[in-house]
Amino acid sequence: MQASIRRRLSTAGKVLAFEHEHLSTDPGHIAVVADLEALVARVDTVFTKESLGTIAERAATARRRKARAALALNLRILVRVAERAAKKTPSLAGLFVPPDYQGPNRGIVGHAKAMLAEATRLQELLVPAGLGPTYLPDLAASIGEFENASLTLDAGRRDHILARADFADLAGECSEVVGILNVLNAKRFANDSELLAGWKAVRNVFGPFTRRDETPETPMGLLPPGV
């Protein structure tokens, strides 16, 4: 999450706490606070969604890494066995070439599926050479495990990305509502300098902060003196 968005969401929570501590009796003001409460609740929901997505993504990454290693080992076995079988059956030569083990995931899966299909067709020649009766089901299972882990990883990553977009939208909505409270409290605390100062401290988004991937941010301004 960008620092600018994080600061605005944090400010919304602080503003809501201030409003709960200093309740207004004005119906309009109360309605605006209710809107902010709903937004902060949505922020909490998105935080949970993002956290679950991140956890799922990390777990699936480890799972896929393990599945890829198992798949690569199965393919190495097939290549070696095919090389041995080709000594008795020259037509097998060159049919089972190793994939690029460091290549992209889609490439290694596609290669594995093609080798599985070919090995299934020629299993009568490969099994006696050392392939083993359980090899083909094991290879199919390792392909399936790799693909399932990839799907889980993609889903977790998608939830994470969608949460980022939600945070940006919520930050904008929170800023709008807090801006309304800013003018309402400027009037409400016009004759109470201490509460007005406290409100300004809570309302202010400290900055500007910049990062390489962010443009300079102008802090959300406070009302000028006398407003």
Side-chain angles (χ1 to χ4, degrees):
M1 185 193 307
Q2 292 182 347
S4 60
I5 294 175
R6 183 171 56 249
R7 289 196 300 273
R8 282 185 285 170
L9 294 176
S10 176
T11 296
K14 294 175 183 178
V15 165
L16 184 58
F18 181 93
E19 290 291 340
H20 286 166
E21 186 177 353
H22 305 283
L23 298 174
S24 172
T25 58
D26 179 75
H29 193 121
I30 293 172
V32 176
V33 173
D35 289 342
L36 184 60
E37 287 176 336
L39 287 171
V40 171
R42 285 171 56 193
V43 170
D44 291 340
T45 299
V46 176
F47 265 120
T48 299
K49 181 180 179 180
E50 183 195 38
S51 297
L52 291 175
T54 300
I55 292 170
E57 183 179 353
R58 290 174 179 172
T61 298
R63 177 184 165 195
R64 188 171 71 173
R65 188 181 300 117
K66 183 178 179 180
R68 178 166 174 149
L71 178 58
L73 178 58
N74 274 327
L75 294 180
R76 288 189 174 97
I77 291 172
L78 179 55
V79 170
R80 292 296 180 86
V81 169
E83 288 175 351
R84 182 168 182 245
K87 293 179 180 179
K88 293 183 178 180
T89 310
S91 61
L92 292 175
L95 291 181
F96 297 93
V97 296
D100 179 3
Y101 293 112
Q102 304 302 318
N105 293 317
R106 182 175 298 179
I108 194 171
V109 169
H111 198 109
K113 287 182 176 180
M115 290 180 71
L116 174 60
E118 196 71 355
T120 300
R121 183 177 69 86
L122 300 169
Q123 59 184 305
E124 292 184 358
L125 299 174
L126 296 171
V127 170
L131 201 59
T134 64
Y135 173 79
L136 293 176
D138 287 345
L139 176 57
S142 64
I143 293 173
E145 170 63 11
F146 185 88
E147 290 185 315
N148 288 336
S150 295
L151 289 174
T152 303
L153 175 58
D154 291 342
R157 186 170 293 157
R158 183 171 57 252
D159 286 345
H160 195 179
I161 293 172
L162 289 175
R164 289 181 182 176
D166 288 342
F167 281 137
D169 292 340
L170 286 168
E173 292 184 57
C174 286
S175 296
E176 181 179 332
V177 174
V178 172
I180 296 173
L181 290 173
N182 193 36
V183 294
L184 292 176
N185 282 331
K187 179 178 180 180
R188 180 160 69 124
F189 302 138
N191 297 320
D192 191 326
S193 58
E194 185 175 343
L195 282 178
L196 183 59
W199 163 252
K200 288 182 177 181
V202 169
R203 166 68 177 81
N204 187 37
V205 177
F206 298 99
F209 298 139
T210 60
R211 289 170 48 187
R212 291 181 180 179
D213 59 343
E214 294 182 36
T215 55
E217 178 195 1
T218 302
M220 288 187 284
L222 298 174
L223 292 172
V227 176

